[in-house]
């Protein structure tokens, strides 16, 4: 039995009450069987004792057990959180190679300026052009052209808004200090799917998701992990086949972190044309697009993924061959030791 799932479902008091009632039921049943086998008549005192003893003994013991279990879980989560912070500091130190934080901030500022100057200026020019044309009383456009112009303004405005939101998220991940803990991965994936509902319908993509009960229990920050899924799935749809086929999966005990924690790996596989090995190392570099020749995005998505996983003590990467699609993955620390009998979907070779 998974006590964690039990407690999540009923809470501390609810779980204690259910087990106490079960103990009372068993005690009353045993009393009834004993009286029947010994031929005794109905004795209220015996049944009263069968109810009172579990209330006085079982209920406090069960409550104490669950309280200690919760405290141990919280202590384990604190250890994982500290390990994640240590891994992040080690990784940051190794990546700097003598580069100061000031130099890194200057590079980030230059990249930010590049995005604002190019990726925001281009759609803004489009909006201004169509808006000026519609506002010009000398230009009499047919109704269908007016509608098309307004749709272009709306679409371009949404694109600008997405870029601004991604820039804000990228800055927030660098500065924010969040409290990580156990997350419900099935709920996060479901929320990501709901956010991408329009894209899935428009692209006629096939999305394959493991059953909810199969997902491992990991440590993370739900809002950030949802952004990782959004980026991976949307890229798989955008650069997948026609129609896109997007498969989600995981490997429970994938590897050990530098601090010795067991890590689970989550992945998204597409049926696209694949990515050349020489290009894979640059994918998670800030402001680098998946496909520089035909990308519509601003190259922020995978750099956000990298920044998030650095903060959460996880890893990220891609496995791809030309003509065989791509598999983008990320890792997070396991919250508990997973049973070896869990069915785990394996990536196809």
């Amino acid at each position: 039995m998974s006590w964690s799932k039990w407690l999540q479902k009923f809470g501390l008091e609810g779980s204690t009450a259910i087990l106490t009632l079960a103990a009372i039921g068993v005690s009353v049943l045993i009393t009834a069987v004993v009286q029947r086998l010994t031929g005794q008549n109905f004795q209220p005192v015996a049944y009263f004792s069968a109810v009172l003893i579990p209330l006085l003994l079982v209920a406090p013991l069960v409550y104490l057990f669950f309280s200690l279990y919760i405290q141990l879980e919280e202590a384990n989560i604190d250890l994982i959180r500290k390990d994640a912070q240590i891994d992040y500091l080690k990784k940051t130190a190794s990546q700097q190679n003598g580069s100061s934080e000031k130099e890194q901030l200057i590079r980030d500022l230059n990249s930010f300026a590049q995005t604002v100057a190019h990726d925001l200026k281009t759609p803004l020019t489009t909006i201004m052009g169509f808006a000026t044309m519609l506002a010009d009383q000398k230009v009499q456009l047919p109704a269908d052209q007016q509608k098309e112009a307004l749709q272009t303004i709306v679409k371009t405005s949404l694109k600008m808004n997405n870029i601004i939101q991604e820039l804000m998220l990228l800055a927030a991940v660098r500065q924010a200090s969040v409290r990580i803990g156990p997350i419900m991965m099935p709920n996060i994936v479901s929320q990501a799917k709901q956010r991408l509902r329009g894209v899935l319908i428009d692209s006629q993509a096939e999305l394959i998701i493991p059953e909810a009960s199969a997902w491992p229990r990991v440590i993370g920050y739900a809002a950030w992990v949802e952004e990782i899924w959004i980026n991976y799935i949307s890229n798989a749809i955008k650069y997948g086949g026609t129609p896109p086929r997007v498969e989600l999966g995981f490997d429970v005990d994938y590897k050990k972190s530098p601090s010795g924690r067991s890590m689970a790996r989550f992945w998204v596989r597409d049926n696209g044309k694949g990515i050349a090995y020489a290009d894979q190392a640059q994918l998670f570099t800030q402001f680098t697009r998946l496909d520089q020749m035909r990308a519509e995005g601003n190259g922020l998505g995978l750099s956000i993924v990298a920044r998030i996983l650095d903060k959460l003590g996880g890893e990220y990467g891609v496995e791809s061959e030309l003509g065989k699609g791509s598999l983008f993955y990320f890792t997070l620390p396991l919250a508990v030791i997973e049973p070896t009998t869990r069915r785990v979907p394996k990536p196809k070779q």
Side-chain angles (χ1 to χ4, degrees), residues 171-211:
V173 171
R174 167 181 282 279
Q175 299 173 3
S177 177
V178 298
R179 185 174 180 82
I180 64 174
I183 57 177
M184 303 295 291
M185 194 62 81
N187 296 345
I188 296 174
V189 171
S190 177
Q191 184 64 28
K193 178 183 176 182
Q194 183 63 29
R195 285 176 58 184
L196 292 171
R197 184 171 179 271
V199 178
L200 289 167
I201 294 175
D202 293 341
S203 63
Q204 298 182 340
E206 178 186 8
L207 185 61
I208 303 171
I209 303 176
E211 60 185 33

Side-chain angles (χ1 to χ4, degrees), residues 74-296:
E74 291 177 348
N76 181 54
I77 292 169
D78 286 336
L79 287 175
I80 294 176
R81 184 183 299 112
K82 288 180 174 61
D83 287 342
Q85 293 172 347
I86 292 172
D87 291 343
Y88 172 65
L89 292 174
K90 288 181 178 178
K91 188 173 182 180
T92 303
S94 64
Q95 287 177 344
Q96 284 183 350
N97 293 325
S99 175
S100 67
E101 180 69 14
K102 180 180 179 180
E103 293 172 344
Q104 181 61 42
L105 289 173
I106 292 174
R107 286 194 294 270
D108 287 350
L109 181 60
N110 290 335
S111 299
F112 176 85
Q114 176 186 347
T115 298
V116 172
H118 180 268
D119 292 295
L120 287 179
K121 182 179 179 180
T122 300
L124 181 59
T125 302
T126 301
I127 293 174
M128 290 176 62
F130 279 102
T132 301
M133 183 176 59
L134 291 172
D136 191 349
Q137 297 180 356
K138 298 179 181 179
V139 179
Q140 299 296 328
L141 293 177
D144 57 339
Q145 292 186 15
Q146 292 183 22
K147 181 178 180 181
E148 182 179 353
L150 289 171
Q151 290 175 342
T152 301
I153 291 175
V154 171
K155 182 178 179 180
T156 309
S157 299
L158 291 174
K159 180 180 179 180
M160 289 185 64
N161 182 67
N162 289 336
I163 295 174
I164 293 171
Q165 293 295 330
E166 288 184 336
L167 285 170
M168 292 175 63
L169 177 60
L170 191 62
V173 171
R174 167 181 282 279
Q175 299 173 3
S177 177
V178 298
R179 185 174 180 82
I180 64 174
I183 57 177
M184 303 295 291
M185 194 62 81
N187 296 345
I188 296 174
V189 171
S190 177
Q191 184 64 28
K193 178 183 176 182
Q194 183 63 29
R195 285 176 58 184
L196 292 171
R197 184 171 179 271
V199 178
L200 289 167
I201 294 175
D202 293 341
S203 63
Q204 298 182 340
E206 178 186 8
L207 185 61
I208 303 171
I209 303 176
E211 60 185 33
S213 61
W215 291 91
R217 187 167 176 259
V218 292
I219 297 295
Y221 182 62
W224 285 0
V225 175
E226 183 179 322
E227 293 299 330
I228 297 175
W229 285 115
I230 289 290
N231 275 291
Y232 277 1
I233 296 173
S234 59
N235 282 335
I237 294 172
K238 184 176 181 180
Y239 299 104
T242 307
R245 184 180 186 273
V246 182
E247 181 181 1
L248 278 56
F250 54 84
D251 304 299
V252 175
D253 200 357
Y254 175 66
K255 64 180 297 185
K256 298 290 184 181
S257 70
S259 58
R261 289 284 175 183
S262 295
M263 307 291 286
R265 184 175 82 151
F266 302 91
W267 45 262
V268 175
R269 181 190 290 112
D270 63 49
N271 61 338
K273 66 179 184 179
I275 304 168
Y277 182 77
D279 297 330
Q280 294 178 18
Q282 301 298 321
L283 289 180
F284 291 89
T285 303
Q286 193 162 311
F287 303 97
T288 299
R289 294 172 173 83
L290 276 175
D291 188 336
Q292 294 285 1
M293 298 301 295
R294 61 187 180 89
E296 299 175 1

Side-chain angles (χ1 to χ4, degrees), residues 1 11 55 253 309 323 347:
M1 177 184 294
L55 284 175
D253 200 357
L309 289 166

